[in-house]
Amino acid sequence: MDTLRSLQCFVRAVELGSLSAVAREQHTTQSNISKIVAALEDELGVRLLERNTASLAPTMPGRRFYERAGGMLEEYADAVAEVRGETAAASGLLRINAPVALGQFCLNAYVQDFLRLYPGVEVELILNDRMVDMVEEGVDIAVRLGSDLPPNVVARRVGASPRLLVAAPAYLKAQGTPQTPAQLAGHEYIRFAWLSTGDKLELSDGEQSVTVATHGRYRVNNALVIRDTLAAGAGIGLCPEWLVHDLLAQRKLRRVLRDWQGTAQELNLLYPSRRYLPHRVRLMLDYLQQRFAAQAGF
């Protein structure tokens, strides 16, 4: 059991980023935790942690050992739970990465509900719009929008959201409502910044596809800001339905060119392609799939 204790101390040190935090968690002293980790390093003949007065981080060998050791501890915990008849129990830290807008709009509420269901679980929800290296950054689940997915991960497709042309009634009253895709060129078009397609917009009515040129003086890299900008009457935009379904229902936005849509926005749950998935990860994957399936706009 000394080896098990050593692994537990090391894994928690990496997860918490502090030996003193591990000591507080285990109701012991920092000196004792430091000795346990040092003994593990001596036994392995490898330095696992870089320590200084301000921070603690795993070395490259330490990061690889953390991945394997964490999996071993999870398997052990699940085996103990199964023997004790506690297979419904879940505990430990769960790291989730997601796009900013999706995280703010619905995922944060999902996570809060999950935490109430599983009091033994901790969650770190990291919101950014870049594609993370899941193994390097210790991410258990990445929620990604779009079909351009990284290699070396497993993707679970959980839905797709139609992308609709929308505008505020006030804008359409003042500027007129386009009747054909080509007429979009004469309107103020609000779009996401840094799109590879630039001002080109691809639309389909189910039978034919067209590419139209748009013009807009405002581009922004945040979907929630685009939503607010459109609702304020600044122009026309192409938005996934999950982002604007409530504003459409409240008539703060209206559909434009109802027969035409952009390519649907896929939603995938990603996880590292490793053999063993901790119990809490499997629970969260299933939970998120159910919640997104019930979310309006998907």
Side-chain angles (χ1 to χ4, degrees):
M1 300 308 288
D2 288 344
T3 299
L4 186 62
R5 174 83 188 284
S6 298
L7 294 178
Q8 290 170 333
C9 290
F10 166 69
V11 167
R12 289 304 282 160
V14 173
E15 291 175 343
L16 298 176
S18 165
L19 294 177
S20 59
V22 180
R24 288 192 297 272
E25 184 178 79
Q26 300 197 10
H27 306 291
T28 186
T29 64
Q30 179 177 336
S31 175
N32 189 35
I33 297 298
S34 182
K35 289 177 182 177
I36 290 173
V37 174
L40 178 61
E41 291 177 320
D42 289 341
E43 181 180 348
L44 297 174
V46 175
R47 188 170 184 81
L48 299 174
L49 299 174
E50 292 288 355
R51 313 167 180 81
N52 59 44
T53 56
S55 64
L56 175 150
T59 62
M60 286 301 294
R63 170 59 65 183
R64 292 193 296 269
F65 187 70
Y66 164 76
E67 294 294 331
R68 299 294 295 272
M72 290 171 58
L73 290 175
E74 291 290 348
E75 290 194 70
Y76 174 77
D78 275 6
V80 171
E82 185 175 352
V83 163
R84 292 176 176 172
E86 300 171 356
T87 53
S91 63
L93 177 64
L94 184 59
R95 288 191 176 95
I96 303 173
N97 176 263
V100 176
L102 188 67
Q104 291 178 273
F105 197 77
C106 53
L107 186 58
N108 179 56
Y110 297 171
V111 170
Q112 296 304 310
D113 291 342
F114 186 87
L115 290 173
R116 282 189 282 271
L117 288 172
Y118 300 99
V121 174
E122 304 171 33
V123 172
E124 285 185 6
L125 178 60
I126 308 301
L127 302 180
N128 54 50
D129 293 322
R130 66 181 177 86
M131 193 68 74
V132 299
D133 185 319
M134 299 188 67
V135 174
E136 181 67 24
E137 300 184 39
V139 173
D140 296 296
I141 299 172
V143 184
R144 303 315 304 178
L145 293 165
S147 56
D148 186 15
L149 304 178
N152 304 321
V153 298
V154 180
R156 182 189 292 191
R157 188 177 184 275
V158 296
S161 185
R163 294 201 301 159
L164 314 174
L165 286 162
V166 297
Y171 174 85
L172 297 174
K173 182 177 180 180
Q175 304 299 327
T177 301
Q179 301 301 312
T180 66
Q183 292 179 1
L184 289 170
H187 285 266
E188 192 67 29
Y189 184 72
I190 310 298
R191 70 169 174 84
F192 200 85
W194 308 327
L195 285 178
S196 59
T197 54
D199 291 324
K200 300 293 184 182
L201 179 62
E202 295 183 0
L203 299 171
S204 172
D205 66 354
E207 295 183 358
Q208 60 178 323
S209 297
V210 297
T211 300
V212 297
T214 62
H215 170 74
R217 294 179 297 127
Y218 188 46
R219 298 173 291 278
V220 62
N221 71 331
N222 182 279
L224 291 179
V225 176
I226 291 177
R227 164 191 159 98
D228 291 344
T229 301
L230 292 170
I236 297 174
L238 185 71
C239 295
E241 189 177 359
W242 66 263
L243 184 65
V244 294
H245 71 89
D246 57 332
L247 297 182
L248 289 169
Q250 296 162 18
R251 299 186 179 180
K252 294 179 179 179
L253 288 176
R254 281 176 47 194
R255 291 278 305 275
V256 176
L257 298 173
R258 298 183 67 91
D259 293 336
W260 295 87
Q261 298 184 11
T263 303
Q265 187 181 63
E266 289 190 13
L267 176 66
N268 289 276
L269 303 179
L270 312 182
Y271 53 95
S273 54
R274 57 192 180 202
R275 179 182 62 84
Y276 178 76
L277 275 181
H279 185 47
R280 62 180 177 273
V281 175
R282 286 184 271 118
L283 284 173
M284 179 62 88
L285 285 168
D286 292 341
Y287 180 79
L288 291 180
Q289 182 165 6
Q290 293 171 3
R291 290 299 298 266
F292 278 120
Q295 174 68 41
F298 282 108

